[in-house]
Amino acid sequence: MNQGPARIEINEVGPRDGLQIEKAMVATDDKVAFVDALSECGFARIEVTSFTSPKAIPALADAQEVMRRIRRKPGVVYTALVPNIRGLERALECGTDEMNLVMSSSETHNRANLRMTREQSLAELTAVLRAAGEAGAPCNVSLSTVFGCPFDGDVSPDEVMRLAHSLVDAGAVGITLCDTTGMAYPTQVAELCERAARELPGAALTVHLHNTRGMALANAVAAWQTGIVRFDAAAGGLGGCPYAPGASGNVNTEELVHMFACMGVDTGVALPPLMDVVRGLPRLVERELANPLIAAGPRLATHEPPAWLAERFSPG
Ligand code: COA
Ligand code: ZN
C-alpha cells in the first residue's frame, strides 16, 4: 500500500458544519463549552462558527458571542466560515484567527447556498481576500461540490481548478476540496488531489468529506496516499449543508483519528477526550447519534473472556 504522510492535521468543523443543520437550537453557553472541550483534544484548527446571514443559518446567529467567549488554547487556530464582506467584518470584530471563505464549484449549488452566481461569489471573495489581506487575516477558501453537485451532477475538474487558481491568485493561502453531499469516490479523490497539488504547489490543500454514501473513510485514505495532510472532520459525524438536498454528516472525527492511529499516522488528536466530547453530543443536539466506534470501543479495547472458558480449559 502507498504510504502517505506520517503526520496529518485535523480541522474540527463540528461547531460550524455540525450545528448549522441541527434542528435543536443549541444554547450559546453549550456551544462555547463544546468548543472549549474540543480545544483540549489536540486539533490544529477548530471551525468555531459561521458569519453567514442569520436568515440563511439561524442556528449560528450568535457567531460573534461564541467567538468572543471561547477559551483560546495556544497553538490552536480558531477559524470561521465567511461568505461575504459583511461576514468578514463581523469575524474580524471578534478576533477570528483565520477565515474560511466559501463558494461552490457548481453553479446551481452556489445559487441555492449563497444566492449569487459563481462569478458574483468570485468577485465578492476577491474583495474579501483583499480586505482580509489589509487586516492581516489569512484566508482559506472552501470550494464546495468539487466531487459532484446534488443539482448539477458531475463537476468538471477543469472548472474546479479554474476557480481554485483564481482564488489563490487573489490571495487565498489554502483551498479546501469539499465533497458537500458525499458524492466522491476514492479514485476520483486521488486524481483531483494530485492535480491540485501539482498545479497549486504554494497552496495548503485540505480535504472536506461527508459520509453520505459511506465512502468518507475510504476517500480520506485515498487523499492521504496522495500526500494530503489536512482533513476537515466533525465529532460524532455531525454536519451537512442545509441548502444541499440529501446532505448528511461529515466524516466522523473520532473514526478518522482512530483509523489513522491504527495505521501509525500521528493526527495530534487524543482519542479519549474526544470520545468524551462525542458521548455528550446527543444531549447537545437533542437526538441519538448512531456511533459504531463508541458502541464497540477502540480496536484494542478487548473484553474479558467468558467465565466458562477458565473451567473448560483449566489444567487437570
Ligand atoms: N452576516 C450577517 N448578516 C448578513 C450577512 C452576513 N455575513 N450577509 C448579509 N446579511 C444580511 C443583510 O444585512 C441583509 O439583512 P436585512 O434583510 O436585515 O437588510 C440580509 O442578510 C440579506 O442580505 P443580502 O446581501 O441580500 O444577502 P442574501 O439574502 O443574498 O444572502 C448570503 C447571501 C451569502 C449572506 C447568504 O446566502 C448566506 O449567508 N449563505 C450562507 C449559507 C451557508 O452557510 N451554507 C452552509 C455552509 S456551506
Ligand atoms: Zn460540509
Side-chain angles (χ1 to χ4, degrees):
M1 176 171 163
N2 288 342
Q3 291 293 311
R7 279 198 71 162
I8 62 169
E9 290 181 356
I10 313 257
N11 307 331
E12 170 59 45
V13 301
R16 193 279 299 170
D17 203 331
L19 298 188
Q20 72 185 8
I21 199 173
E22 290 297 331
K23 288 198 182 68
M25 265 298 178
V26 178
T28 306
D29 285 351
D30 292 336
K31 289 174 181 162
V32 171
F34 180 28
V35 174
D36 287 350
L38 290 167
S39 288
E40 300 305 315
C41 296
F43 294 107
R45 282 181 186 69
I46 299 176
E47 194 161 303
V48 174
T49 185
S50 80
F51 296 97
T52 44
S53 152
K55 284 190 191 125
I57 309 286
L60 302 180
D62 56 358
Q64 276 165 296
E65 195 184 345
V66 174
M67 190 58 90
R68 279 205 189 93
R69 285 180 48 198
I70 54 166
R71 206 170 45 235
R72 307 282 179 115
K73 174 124 179 157
V76 181
V77 177
Y78 295 92
T79 73
L81 196 85
V82 166
N84 59 10
I85 283 280
R86 176 81 192 100
L88 175 72
E89 289 163 357
R90 290 173 64 213
L92 288 172
E93 272 166 26
C94 53
T96 308
D97 295 335
E98 189 178 301
M99 311 300 158
N100 184 22
L101 316 189
V102 63
M103 71 170 287
S104 304
S105 54
S106 60
E107 187 62 29
T108 309
H109 184 259
N110 202 75
R111 292 181 186 199
N113 192 40
L114 299 166
R115 299 166 182 264
M116 288 179 255
T117 65
R118 283 178 302 171
E119 291 317 307
Q120 286 169 328
S121 272
L122 202 51
E124 183 77 25
L125 296 192
T126 302
V128 174
L129 286 163
R130 193 180 319 114
E134 284 162 11
C139 296
N140 180 78
V141 180
S142 280
L143 267 180
S144 303
T145 64
V146 301
F147 300 107
C149 169
F151 304 107
D152 298 344
D154 272 328
V155 174
S156 146
D158 290 344
E159 201 47 23
V160 173
M161 292 312 303
R162 177 184 75 84
L163 295 170
H165 276 288
S166 301
L167 292 159
V168 169
D169 290 348
V173 296
I175 296 288
T176 301
L177 299 171
C178 300
D179 183 23
T180 308
T181 57
M183 292 173 71
Y185 52 91
T187 47
Q188 179 196 27
V189 169
E191 254 174 56
L192 190 60
C193 289
E194 273 164 4
R195 179 165 173 190
R198 193 168 59 243
E199 292 188 20
L200 299 168
L205 295 177
T206 302
V207 167
H208 176 105
L209 300 165
H210 281 259
N211 198 35
T212 318
R213 294 174 177 81
M215 290 189 275
L217 284 180
N219 289 334
V221 173
W224 172 75
Q225 286 184 307
T226 72
I228 293 286
V229 292
R230 291 166 43 143
F231 293 84
D232 285 356
L238 296 176
C241 174
Y243 298 100
S248 70
N250 288 81
V251 65
N252 284 49
T253 312
E254 62 276 19
E255 289 183 3
L256 194 71
V257 166
H258 176 259
M259 178 187 76
F260 278 120
C262 291
M263 289 160 60
V265 178
D266 178 9
T267 63
V269 178
L271 201 53
L274 175 61
M275 299 280 265
D276 284 344
V277 174
V278 173
R279 284 189 196 93
L281 289 178
R283 194 193 62 77
L284 192 75
V285 299
E286 298 174 22
R287 66 183 177 95
E288 287 306 313
L289 298 169
N291 197 308
L293 186 59
I294 293 281
R299 179 175 163 269
L300 290 178
T302 51
H303 302 268
E304 285 297 316
W308 60 266
L309 281 193
E311 270 173 49
R312 175 75 175 76
F313 294 96
S314 64

